[in-house]
Amino acid sequence: MKMKLRFIVLTCLTLLSLKCFSQDKKFYIFICFGQSNMEGNAKVEARDTTAVDSRFQVLQAVDCGDKGRIKDNWYTAVPPLARCTTGLTPADYFGRTLVANLPENIKVGIINVSVAGARIEIFEKDSYQSYLATAPGWMKGIAGEYGGNPYARLIELARLAQKSGVIKGILLHQGESNPNDTLWTKKVKGIYDNLIRDLNLKPKKVPLLAGEVVNADQGGVCAAMNKIIATLPQAVNNSYVISSAGCTCSPDHLHFTAEGYRLLGKRYGVQMLYLLGYKPKETIKL
């Protein structure tokens, strides 16, 4: 009996050591979620698909056969970084900014699960069903690509990513569908707390970066929401708001242009670099 118990213990220790050995501490993983602006709405241009450093990777969330990508696998982060037909996202130039400024032995990985048009409630672990029940068919279709439960898919991908690297931060861009919602910060905190708990993370080591919606200086139709987003650090201690001032938008004044996404993504990246203890080579106003 003692020999059998000893064998079991040794086997468990061996498996644990193998798991730890396979995790690259210099592979920095970032979780991205939100609605259409985090999915990426602007058309991808040629400059966005060339010279993407192989150190910048995306963990594919859905199958994209026409692009030769299979879900749950890592690929060089050539856009789109969300679903197959989405466009440029802040995550694109967030990752590019990081790899351009971090030591060459550090890789960056992105996970992106976002749902266009969705309220923040779609990511609430215990009540998303009630929100989706009344959602339009096209939104249910997007959620269906994530198995009908975007939060669960986010966790599934994050756990898979943790076998390869270390989660270093969470990026959020959402709010257009929660205008004037004074409970938004409380809801975001609940989702953040669940992510930290379900992924066994330490909140002091995993900051939350939340971007503003299209700014008033661009005539953003939801710009008033930025006043609520600005209060997020009062609800989530380790959170930071990324300014959208000067980020150009499309004619609908809801979504950013490709140039707007590039600037916003760089601002996410610069903020994260400072949090990681690195000074960016390029001066970008936060």
Side-chain angles (χ1 to χ4, degrees):
M1 183 65 182
K2 288 183 178 180
M3 288 294 293
K4 185 177 181 181
L5 182 61
R6 187 178 301 166
F7 174 78
I8 292 172
V9 170
L10 287 172
T11 300
C12 290
L13 289 173
T14 301
L15 289 173
L16 283 171
S17 66
L18 287 173
K19 181 179 179 181
C20 292
F21 181 78
S22 65
Q23 186 185 60
D24 184 354
K25 296 294 180 65
K26 294 187 182 299
F27 188 13
Y28 292 178
I29 310 297
F30 298 92
I31 298 170
C32 304
F33 73 106
Q35 55 182 112
S36 57
N37 273 318
M38 184 56 87
E39 267 196 340
N41 184 264
K43 183 178 179 181
V44 176
E45 299 174 7
R47 62 184 287 191
D48 306 312
T49 61
T50 57
V52 181
D53 195 315
S54 61
R55 289 165 49 223
F56 179 27
Q57 299 273 304
V58 61
L59 183 57
Q60 191 67 23
V62 300
D63 288 326
C64 291
D66 62 327
K67 293 177 173 56
R69 294 184 184 181
I70 301 171
K71 66 181 181 181
D72 300 339
N73 286 279
W74 290 103
Y75 298 92
T76 299
V78 176
L81 302 188
R83 296 180 299 112
C84 311
T85 58
T86 53
L88 205 64
T89 160
D92 283 284
Y93 282 80
F94 165 78
R96 289 187 179 207
T97 299
L98 289 189
V99 296
N101 288 276
L102 290 171
E104 291 187 1
N105 63 342
I106 295 178
K107 297 188 299 180
V108 173
I110 291 292
I111 300 165
N112 192 344
V113 174
S114 299
V115 181
R119 291 176 61 89
I120 196 66
E121 284 85 343
I122 202 168
F123 292 100
E124 291 186 322
K125 180 179 177 179
D126 299 318
S127 58
Y128 75 95
Q129 299 99 324
S130 60
Y131 173 68
L132 270 178
T134 59
W138 58 265
M139 189 183 295
K140 291 178 180 177
I142 295 175
E145 293 191 50
Y146 299 122
N149 185 345
Y151 177 83
R153 181 58 176 149
L154 197 60
I155 291 296
E156 182 180 34
L157 287 166
R159 286 175 175 163
L160 180 60
Q162 284 179 306
K163 295 179 180 179
S164 301
V166 180
I167 294 174
K168 289 287 188 176
I170 300 171
L171 279 59
L172 168 67
H173 198 286
Q174 196 279 335
E176 295 90 347
S177 294
N178 287 78
N180 305 313
D181 184 354
T182 57
L183 296 178
W184 183 83
T185 57
K186 181 179 179 180
K187 295 170 185 176
V188 170
K189 183 181 187 305
I191 296 165
Y192 174 79
D193 288 347
N194 281 333
L195 287 168
I196 294 297
R197 187 181 307 110
D198 291 342
L199 296 171
N200 195 29
L201 302 171
K202 296 180 179 179
K204 290 184 178 180
K205 293 187 176 182
V206 184
L208 171 64
L209 276 57
E212 291 182 336
V213 300
V214 174
N215 206 276
D217 67 10
Q218 303 295 315
V221 295
C222 296
M225 184 64 189
N226 287 336
K227 293 181 180 179
I228 294 174
I229 295 173
T231 65
L232 184 61
Q234 298 172 24
V236 180
N237 290 332
N238 196 13
S239 66
Y240 303 82
V241 175
I242 309 303
S243 172
S244 65
C247 295
T248 54
C249 69
S250 65
D252 65 9
H253 295 279
L254 278 171
H255 300 100
F256 298 96
T257 62
E259 191 55 44
Y261 284 119
R262 292 183 194 112
L263 179 55
L264 187 63
K266 288 177 181 179
R267 287 176 176 169
Y268 273 98
V270 168
Q271 179 65 77
M272 186 57 71
L273 283 168
Y274 281 126
L275 294 172
L276 291 170
Y278 294 91
K279 184 177 180 180
K281 300 170 186 176
E282 180 184 0
T283 300
I284 298 172
K285 185 178 179 181
L286 292 175

